[in-house]
Amino acid sequence: MVTFLLFISFLLNIVSLLSIVILYSRQNRFVNMEKEQKKIIVEMEDIISAYLIEMKEENDEFMRKFSTQIHNVKEDNLHTEENEQEDLETSVKVTKWTGAGYKRASQAYKQVKDQGPEPGDQSNKSEQDPLLKKVLTLKEKGMSIEEIAESLGKGQTEIELLLKFRQIM
């Protein structure tokens, strides 16, 4: 009996020593990994700072070129006042045309809206009316768009568009 207990004690000691060695090796791997990650972070910070410095230098160079270019353009504009007058006339023409075009488009839209649907649209509406009525009744019953789409065998997007167009009209 004593030998059995000694054997179990010896076995437990071996298992505990093995587990300590395994935990120690894992801890060392973890510490090494942390050190490597810190090195990588430092390298990344150096690379990013170098990149930012390079970008700043390029931006400064661009700003210098841009300011000299603007200065040259200002000098050219001072010497040629005729170009400025032509530019003003063309910009006024564009804004006048845009305003008139906007007015014409809005008038055409109002006329089409007042006239009602075209004959070709009525046949399409008659096909959509039963579906639209079904969708509206199901929506009034409190069903969600997904449930309506499933019950009618249509796509959710189609039902959403039907409801959105119905709200606009």
Side-chain angles (χ1 to χ4, degrees):
M1 179 75 174
V2 174
T3 58
F4 179 71
L5 290 175
L6 279 173
F7 178 73
I8 291 178
S9 173
F10 184 69
L11 189 63
L12 287 175
N13 283 332
I14 290 174
V15 169
S16 65
L17 286 173
L18 267 169
S19 63
I20 289 172
V21 167
I22 291 172
L23 288 174
Y24 182 75
S25 66
R26 286 187 181 178
Q27 182 183 8
N28 282 343
R29 275 191 256 150
F30 181 73
V31 169
N32 289 337
M33 193 180 344
E34 273 187 9
K35 288 179 183 177
E36 289 175 11
Q37 286 181 349
K38 286 181 182 179
K39 287 179 185 177
I40 290 172
I41 288 173
V42 168
E43 289 175 4
M44 288 175 56
E45 287 176 352
D46 291 341
I47 290 171
I48 290 174
S49 64
Y51 177 74
L52 288 176
I53 290 170
E54 184 180 330
M55 288 294 292
K56 186 176 186 250
E57 290 172 355
E58 287 178 2
N59 285 343
D60 291 340
E61 182 180 338
F62 174 75
M63 292 300 291
R64 273 187 255 118
K65 286 181 181 179
F66 188 71
S67 63
T68 57
Q69 199 173 29
I70 287 177
H71 182 67
N72 292 340
V73 168
K74 285 183 180 179
E75 288 179 1
D76 290 342
N77 285 342
L78 290 176
H79 296 296
T80 57
E81 292 178 5
E82 295 171 2
N83 289 342
E84 288 180 8
Q85 291 175 354
E86 291 175 8
D87 289 341
L88 288 175
E89 290 174 3
T90 56
S91 66
V92 169
K93 287 178 185 176
V94 169
T95 52
K96 286 181 181 177
W97 183 85
T98 305
Y102 176 76
K103 288 179 183 176
R104 278 187 257 137
S106 64
Q107 288 173 353
Y109 176 73
K110 288 178 184 176
Q111 287 176 356
V112 169
K113 193 173 180 182
D114 292 339
Q115 288 176 359
E118 295 180 9
D121 289 342
Q122 289 177 354
S123 64
N124 192 14
K125 250 190 175 179
S126 65
E127 294 172 4
Q128 293 291 333
D129 277 345
L131 177 63
L132 184 61
K133 287 179 184 177
K134 289 178 186 177
V135 169
L136 290 175
T137 54
L138 293 174
K139 186 69 177 172
E140 288 173 2
K141 289 181 181 178
M143 292 178 73
S144 69
I145 293 175
E146 293 85 14
E147 294 171 341
I148 295 171
E150 286 179 17
S151 66
L152 296 177
K154 301 287 183 181
Q156 292 179 11
T157 309
E158 184 178 355
I159 302 300
E160 288 175 357
L161 287 174
L162 253 171
L163 291 171
K164 284 182 183 177
F165 285 137
R166 179 67 181 163
Q167 290 173 355
I168 291 173
M169 293 179 169

